[in-house]
Amino acid sequence: GRRSVGRQWLITVLAVGMGVLCRPPEARAQKAGIELRFDITDRDVDAAIERLQNYLWTRQQDDGSWPDVIGSHYERKVGGTTALCVLALLEAGGKKAMNDPRMDRALKALMAAQMNDLYCHSVRVMAMSQAYRFFQRPEFAAQIVSDMNWLTNNLPASGAWGYKGPSPTGDNSCSQYGLLALWEADWAGFDETATVPKGLTLRQNDKAVDVSALWPAVARNLRASWPAIERQWISRVRPD
């Protein structure tokens, strides 16, 4: 299907790039006549990851979020830091991090963030998809659907993303994040063949909004977007 084709070319590009950039250091060193000695062990790496996790937790605010940053255009990246921290902690800590009471507060803060930026929406999809793979909570699904609706609206005609969503003049950086968000959501079960339960609601402006009604349009956009994405990323040399 179209989705499998999209996956195949993405995996091929990544594989070729990794093959070129990541040749075994031992082989390169042997060819250069250099003897390598690795003093850093897996235990050292695990300890460093644990220290970084502990540091992130110390920076968490009372409401469960992490401080927002100001972007390159002097725009506040609402919820972006929180999304990145949640994603990092879940990637590194797995189910242990998911069961931490601090993560529950973090996820509530993340879902409450009123985002205004492609990067933030994309990373929230990645983080919420990670959380959903551990626990299939309706509120997680509702947030993923809502963000995917934002990410795929007009995507079939665009095939790329800019700072404010799908755009035919989008750049590589934004488009990379948009595509990775769809990938993570797909891994969590939110692909164009999926069905979502009725009655999924989100609190928006102090009102309960039924977002399950958005899913049919999201699924149609996903099915229709791969040709445009392929045109943008394979058939066209992007200037940036």
Side-chain angles (χ1 to χ4, degrees), residues 51 68-69 72-73 107 109 111 159 186 222-223 226 231:
R51 288 196 301 273
D68 291 331
V69 298
S72 57
H73 299 289
L107 289 167
M111 289 187 286
D186 182 289
L222 286 172
R223 282 192 294 269
W226 290 111
R231 285 195 301 271

Side-chain angles (χ1 to χ4, degrees), residues 77-112:
K77 302 292 184 181
V78 179
T81 308
T82 300
L84 282 170
C85 289
V86 169
L87 178 61
L89 288 165
L90 289 177
E91 283 278 5
K95 198 163 187 177
K96 179 181 178 182
M98 190 66 198
N99 286 325
D100 192 308
R102 294 172 294 185
M103 181 57 70
D104 186 57
R105 292 192 293 116
L107 289 167
K108 288 179 180 177
L110 181 57
M111 289 187 286

Side-chain angles (χ1 to χ4, degrees), residues 98-172:
M98 190 66 198
N99 286 325
D100 192 308
R102 294 172 294 185
M103 181 57 70
D104 186 57
R105 292 192 293 116
L107 289 167
K108 288 179 180 177
L110 181 57
M111 289 187 286
Q114 299 298 309
M115 294 180 169
N116 59 359
D117 180 89
L118 180 281
Y119 292 116
C120 300
H121 278 284
S122 296
V123 181
R124 180 161 63 183
V125 169
M126 298 181 211
M128 297 308 303
S129 296
Q130 283 273 355
Y132 189 80
R133 286 198 291 273
F134 290 114
F135 298 109
Q136 288 73 53
R137 295 177 184 170
E139 61 268 31
F140 295 172
Q143 186 62 67
I144 294 169
V145 169
S146 178
D147 282 330
M148 289 184 72
N149 180 64
W150 191 92
L151 287 170
T152 60
N153 185 33
N154 200 41
L155 184 60
S158 304
W161 289 266
Y163 288 105
K164 298 304 178 183
S167 168
T169 59
D171 63 68
N172 282 347

Side-chain angles (χ1 to χ4, degrees), residues 168-186:
T169 59
D171 63 68
N172 282 347
S173 179
C174 289
S175 295
Q176 170 183 270
Y177 272 75
L179 193 57
L180 286 172
L182 298 188
W183 180 276
E184 285 282 355
D186 182 289

Side-chain angles (χ1 to χ4, degrees), residues 57 60-66 82 86 102 105-107 109-110:
W57 283 126
Q60 187 182 31
Q61 300 183 121
D62 291 342
D63 66 353
S65 70
W66 281 261
T82 300
V86 169
R102 294 172 294 185
R105 292 192 293 116
L107 289 167
L110 181 57

